[in-house]
Amino acid sequence: MAPPLRPPAGAVAMLLLVLAVAFRAAAAATAVDVGVNWGSQLSHPLLPSSVVQMLKENGIFKVKLFDADPWPVGALVDSGIEVMLGIPNDMLEIMNSYGNAKDWVKENVTSYGDKLKIKYVAVGNEPFLKAYNGSFMKTTFPALKNIQKALNEAGIGGKVKATVPLNADVYVSPDNKPSSGAFRPDIERLMTDMVNFLHDQNSPFVVNIYPFLSLYQSDDFPFEFAFVDGGKTIQDKGGISYSNVFDANYDTLVTALKKAGVPNLKVVVGEVGWPTDGDKNANIKLAKRYYDGLLKKLSKKEGTPLRPGKMDVYMFGLFDEDMKSIMPGNFERHWGIFTYDGKPKFPMDLTGHGDDKLLAAVPGVEYLPKQWCVFDDQAKDKSKLPGNIEYACASGDCTALGYGCSCNGLDEKSNISYAFNMYFQMQDQDVRACEFDGLAKITSKNASARGCVFPVQVVSAARRATAAPAPAVVGFAAALVALVIVLV
């Protein structure tokens, strides 16, 4: 028998090269420009390797983290995903020591070599918020300079840049016109020095813009102006008009940068999004509308009137985070485009072309048993009910029960059951977490009611200590207790 014909070695190499080029082209076609914030304040985090798999399946290749936890960072190694590592605010003072900054860079950046695609180091997170009362005013800029110096001395400062993600409240406009934008008077000198440093290092200005908050903070804010596809416009100098608050806010910053002497400083939108619960204007319908308009705008690379062209944007955020502080509002725990268990909330097209479909979910998610903790209305002594509800909400998550929220329509029994069940689920369905002084019982019957989903928690990918009740949560719980007392 004659030996089988074999292609020449050169032909095989050429075929492999063609296939490799085709594979890269296919990957590029499915990749999207928009990035996403991956937060970690969940009572039951998902397996990082599974999250990374989901990101890649959806073509998301830019991620912003709020710390440098080696668990999720390790999952990003060799993924090809571009990473912005974070340094939390409570570490800023530590980074005022160059030795500490140098050690941090060695441990969290250079130790990964080329296996981790780090592009930015986020030094702090919104450290100049007015709510912080100047706590980080003196430590942020020195920390920024030390981290960038350490990156430079490590020989990677040309490709890894340090920056500071800032809330849009660092700049103001007296007449609400972008052309009047300037940095906040109390930090004008600091901001001017900092943005000039960023300019000298070829680092970007990272800003977080939240149109939703404009609606939340003022009932007089024009509703349509909050959305990228809104109809209302405002007129500015030179015949420039703005049809949405995102563009107007962005250009207010552009004007402030110009006045600070760095008119061409690159701007990265570190956070922008829309919550889906926790407020009357936080729901899936409005979130989808906002993202559809934003992604369509980004796909056109039209930019803003003062900064036309491609924009660098990170959506906020990836998952709902049930342990976030609700000091700013109950919506804080509902920013995710995915649910707590890694499922997409609504169809969307990250390329902005309008081909909406459900994104790929996080694979391999495991759930606790299908059981719920509910109010036992046959209990004889209900005198301890208010205190138990308050405890459940303070240590659990009752943010969906508020006015205009997804579980606002429950009756008094279901309200109590929801509070009890959320605590029960967050405690890994420990039978002791469904005692409540004899006021609750465990059932295998799905307790969901009136369109309100009573969730079953996932099997946590890591063990976490139960967070202490936050004052803001207790305040919300007290309001619920008052409601239940009236109803019961």
Side-chain angles (χ1 to χ4, degrees), residues 25 152 230 452:
N152 294 344
C452 172

Side-chain angles (χ1 to χ4, degrees), residues 150-486:
L151 292 169
N152 294 344
E153 290 193 355
I156 57 174
K159 63 177 182 179
V160 182
K161 301 296 181 180
T163 185
V164 179
L166 295 163
N167 188 277
D169 77 343
V170 298
Y171 48 89
V172 293
S173 174
D175 58 2
N176 292 321
K177 300 292 180 64
S179 59
S180 301
F183 287 117
R184 223 169 63 209
D186 62 309
I187 56 173
E188 182 178 6
R189 179 62 182 272
L190 173 59
M191 288 301 304
T192 298
D193 291 344
M194 201 162 76
V195 297
N196 276 274
F197 173 81
L198 292 173
H199 178 267
D200 292 344
Q201 297 295 324
N202 198 29
S203 298
F205 187 105
V206 178
V207 62
N208 301 337
I209 300 176
Y210 285 106
F212 166 80
L213 293 181
S214 298
L215 275 183
Y216 178 75
Q217 293 167 354
S218 174
D219 289 334
D220 296 327
F221 189 86
F223 184 83
E224 292 296 321
F225 197 59
F227 297 90
V228 179
D229 63 350
K232 180 180 173 58
T233 61
I234 64 168
Q235 299 298 320
D236 204 351
K237 296 177 182 177
I240 297 177
S241 62
Y242 291 90
S243 61
N244 67 86
V245 70
F246 177 83
D247 284 0
N249 192 305
Y250 190 101
D251 277 0
T252 303
L253 169 60
V254 171
T255 302
L257 292 173
K258 183 177 181 180
K259 290 179 180 177
V262 287
N264 298 316
L265 183 63
K266 179 181 178 180
V267 173
V268 172
V269 178
E271 298 178 18
V272 63
W274 200 280
T276 58
D277 210 344
D279 181 70
K280 62 181 180 180
N281 290 317
N283 55 60
I284 287 177
K285 180 181 179 181
L286 294 182
K288 175 172 171 49
R289 177 186 174 185
Y290 188 80
Y291 277 115
D292 284 350
L294 175 68
L295 293 168
K296 182 177 180 181
K297 171 187 175 62
L298 296 177
S299 71
K300 293 180 178 179
K301 298 180 174 59
E302 61 184 20
T304 65
L306 297 185
R307 279 280 184 95
K310 183 175 179 285
M311 304 180 82
D312 198 352
V313 173
Y314 292 80
M315 298 181 293
F316 187 86
L318 194 54
F319 304 114
D320 284 353
E321 299 176 60
D322 60 358
M323 294 186 71
K324 286 194 71 176
S325 168
I326 59 171
M327 289 280 293
N330 292 331
F331 54 83
E332 280 294 335
R333 296 178 176 174
H334 304 279
W335 285 103
I337 58 175
F338 289 85
T339 54
Y340 73 99
D341 53 351
K343 293 180 179 178
K345 291 182 178 178
F346 49 85
M348 62 194 306
D349 180 5
L350 296 176
T351 67
H353 297 143
D355 184 20
D356 286 354
K357 61 182 179 181
L358 287 175
L359 300 178
V362 176
V365 176
E366 297 181 18
Y367 293 84
L368 296 173
K370 291 185 178 180
Q371 57 182 6
W372 296 260
C373 176
V374 297
F375 173 48
D376 184 359
D377 56 359
Q378 299 301 313
K380 295 180 180 180
D381 183 7
K382 295 184 176 65
S383 62
K384 295 182 179 180
L385 187 57
N388 278 284
I389 295 171
E390 184 169 348
Y391 180 80
C393 286
S395 303
D397 180 20
C398 295
T399 54
L401 295 174
Y403 171 72
C405 301
S406 62
C407 296
N408 183 218
L410 297 177
D411 58 26
E412 65 270 21
K413 179 181 176 180
S414 294
N415 260 297
I416 301 167
S417 293
Y418 186 89
F420 286 176
N421 184 64
M422 290 302 288
Y423 176 76
F424 175 66
Q425 300 295 339
M426 288 180 73
Q427 298 300 317
D428 288 321
Q429 296 186 359
D430 188 324
V431 293
R432 294 168 296 180
C434 191
E435 291 179 353
F436 295 109
D437 290 316
L439 293 164
K441 61 182 179 181
I442 296 175
T443 178
S444 59
K445 181 181 178 182
N446 193 330
S448 300
R450 300 190 182 185
C452 172
V453 176
F454 283 49
V456 169
Q457 189 54 265
V458 302
V459 176
S460 177
R463 292 183 178 181
R464 288 193 168 193
T466 303
V473 186
V474 173
F476 178 79
L480 179 60
V481 169
L483 171 64
V484 172
I485 290 174
V486 173

Side-chain angles (χ1 to χ4, degrees), residues 105-124:
V105 167
K106 181 179 179 181
E107 179 180 348
N108 299 290
V109 181
T110 58
S111 64
Y112 292 102
D114 294 329
K115 291 181 173 293
L116 185 64
K117 194 176 179 182
I118 302 175
K119 186 167 185 178
Y120 301 119
V121 174
V123 183

